[in-house]
Amino acid sequence: MKKKLQTKFSTRQYMLSKDFEIYYYNDKVLSPVKAHTHDYYEFYFFLEGDMDMCIGEESFRIKHADLVLIPPNTSHYPRFIDSEKPYRRFVLWISREYLNELMQISKDYGYLMQHVLVTKQYVFHNDLINFNAIQSMIFGLIEEIKSDRFGRDAEISLRLNSLIMYLNRIVYDQNSDKSFKTEKALYLNLCDYINNHLEEDLSLDKLASEFYVSKYYISHAFKHNIGISIHQYIMKKRLMICKDAILGDDAISHVFRRYGFNDYSSFYRAFKKEYGISPKEFKSKYEISENI
């Protein structure tokens, strides 16, 4: 699956698109790259490999889960270290014009970029929780770009803007005296992950493997922050999306299977308990009200 999302590396240092470009690279051998600049913001999300990033007069050893942001007109180049590891990373280019448009909506979109321009801090270290969330968001964005689904352009814009805001929040939290505690960050990232993967396996085993923490810690963090169990939260979210889907063209039998219910009887009981009405009664009631 992920191999289909990879892009063959190019030495091109200019954008073909007006607003942004994003790539997933996985290379074992790369020719040396000379120092260069460009007129857009360049984000590196480092996944694997041994390298230094030379920015201006400084050199930074880059590690797994690091985020590197290079502002426009800033000289930089990667210096590769002999290693058997592949050089694997995401690269995101964002035009200044697109960022300015976002900042017209909210100045919060520009916090990270302004912070880098003022402080000259180009490298940001992430814990696995934050970086796994970033990685999931980026893969989702690339998958949407390569799709031909209805609403594709609007969904791409939403996903990109959400990613940019998420990066701003991470750096803001790192710089704030009231930064999130690990448990709070885990809870927030779990909510994001669950909401974006309602059609997939959301067992505790799956979540524990995604976030590299124990099942007990996940359960505790969730119960402590929201007051209900993670199972109850997932159930409520799945029932909400099923309720909306039922009003579409899909048959109820397709809807409940898509969102993780093994059989209709368990879906029926959960739906009626949550909304006080059966799925079929709900659909009929809505269709009647529409025809009045």
Side-chain angles (χ1 to χ4, degrees):
M1 175 63 176
K2 303 307 182 190
K3 287 186 177 180
K4 294 181 181 179
L5 303 182
Q6 293 175 14
T7 304
K8 184 177 180 181
F9 179 69
S10 168
T11 57
R12 171 172 57 85
Q13 298 297 337
Y14 57 89
M15 290 179 62
L16 298 175
S17 301
K18 174 179 175 290
D19 296 327
F20 82 100
E21 295 177 17
I22 189 165
Y23 303 101
Y24 172 37
Y25 293 125
N26 187 354
D27 303 291
K28 292 185 177 180
V29 179
L30 278 176
S31 301
V33 178
K34 295 181 180 180
H36 59 279
T37 64
H38 30 62
D39 61 358
Y40 47 82
Y41 290 91
E42 183 169 42
F43 295 76
Y44 282 86
F45 304 89
F46 196 68
L47 298 169
E48 189 177 8
D50 292 311
M51 65 164 290
D52 295 331
M53 181 63 76
C54 302
I55 306 174
E57 301 298 322
E58 297 185 77
S59 178
F60 304 89
R61 176 57 55 90
I62 308 302
K63 300 178 181 179
H64 170 72
D66 281 354
L67 161 65
V68 180
L69 172 54
I70 301 165
N73 305 316
T74 302
S75 178
H76 64 283
Y77 67 94
R79 182 169 59 209
F80 307 110
I81 301 169
D82 290 338
S83 172
E84 295 182 355
K85 296 179 181 178
Y87 176 36
R88 194 159 62 92
R89 71 280 185 206
F90 300 112
V91 177
L92 170 63
W93 293 344
I94 298 178
S95 71
R96 286 180 289 188
E97 292 76 16
Y98 187 78
L99 177 61
N100 288 337
E101 290 176 7
L102 287 180
M103 290 181 67
Q104 294 299 314
I105 301 172
S106 171
K107 291 184 178 179
D108 293 342
Y109 279 109
Y111 173 84
L112 169 56
M113 291 69 162
Q114 292 172 341
H115 173 78
V116 171
L117 290 170
V118 171
T119 66
K120 308 301 181 185
Q121 179 188 356
Y122 304 107
V123 181
F124 302 89
H125 307 298
N126 290 294
D127 58 34
L128 289 177
I129 293 173
N130 278 332
F131 196 71
N132 282 339
I134 292 171
Q135 183 172 256
S136 177
M137 295 173 78
I138 292 177
F139 275 132
L141 174 59
I142 296 175
E143 287 171 348
E144 194 65 35
I145 290 170
K146 292 180 176 292
S147 78
D148 58 357
R149 300 176 64 188
F150 172 79
R152 171 183 174 275
D153 291 344
E155 183 67 22
I156 288 171
S157 179
L158 287 172
R159 288 177 181 263
L160 175 62
N161 295 352
S162 294
L163 173 62
I164 295 172
M165 181 55 70
Y166 189 77
L167 299 176
N168 278 283
R169 281 183 167 181
I170 290 175
V171 176
Y172 177 84
D173 289 340
Q174 290 176 355
N175 295 330
S176 173
D177 292 333
K178 297 180 180 179
S179 61
F180 287 120
K181 294 181 179 180
T182 301
E183 182 180 287
K184 184 69 174 182
L186 174 62
Y187 158 70
L188 293 172
N189 285 311
L190 279 167
C191 289
D192 286 340
Y193 183 88
I194 289 168
N195 293 337
N196 290 321
H197 297 80
L198 289 171
E199 297 183 30
E200 302 174 18
D201 175 19
L202 291 175
S203 64
L204 271 177
D205 286 331
K206 173 64 175 178
L207 294 173
S209 67
E210 282 291 331
F211 287 88
Y212 298 97
V213 293
S214 71
K215 293 185 287 186
Y216 170 80
Y217 190 47
I218 288 176
S219 298
H220 174 78
F222 218 93
K223 186 76 172 179
H224 182 261
N225 280 278
I226 199 173
I228 62 175
S229 71
I230 190 168
H231 173 74
Q232 290 173 306
Y233 179 84
I234 293 170
M235 177 71 73
K236 287 179 178 294
K237 286 293 182 178
R238 281 178 163 163
L239 287 171
M240 287 175 63
I241 200 169
C242 283
K243 182 163 66 75
D244 292 338
I246 285 172
L247 301 181
D249 295 328
D250 288 348
I252 293 176
S253 59
H254 295 159
V255 170
F256 76 81
R257 289 192 179 93
R258 182 191 308 161
Y259 294 110
F261 293 90
N262 294 326
D263 54 68
Y264 181 75
S265 60
S266 60
F267 172 62
Y268 175 93
R269 290 193 299 271
F271 193 98
K272 191 162 187 177
K273 181 179 180 181
E274 186 72 14
Y275 300 111
I277 190 173
S278 74
K280 292 180 180 179
E281 289 171 339
F282 172 78
K283 186 175 181 65
S284 298
K285 181 179 179 181
Y286 178 87
E287 290 175 341
I288 291 173
S289 65
E290 284 288 294
N291 293 326
I292 294 175

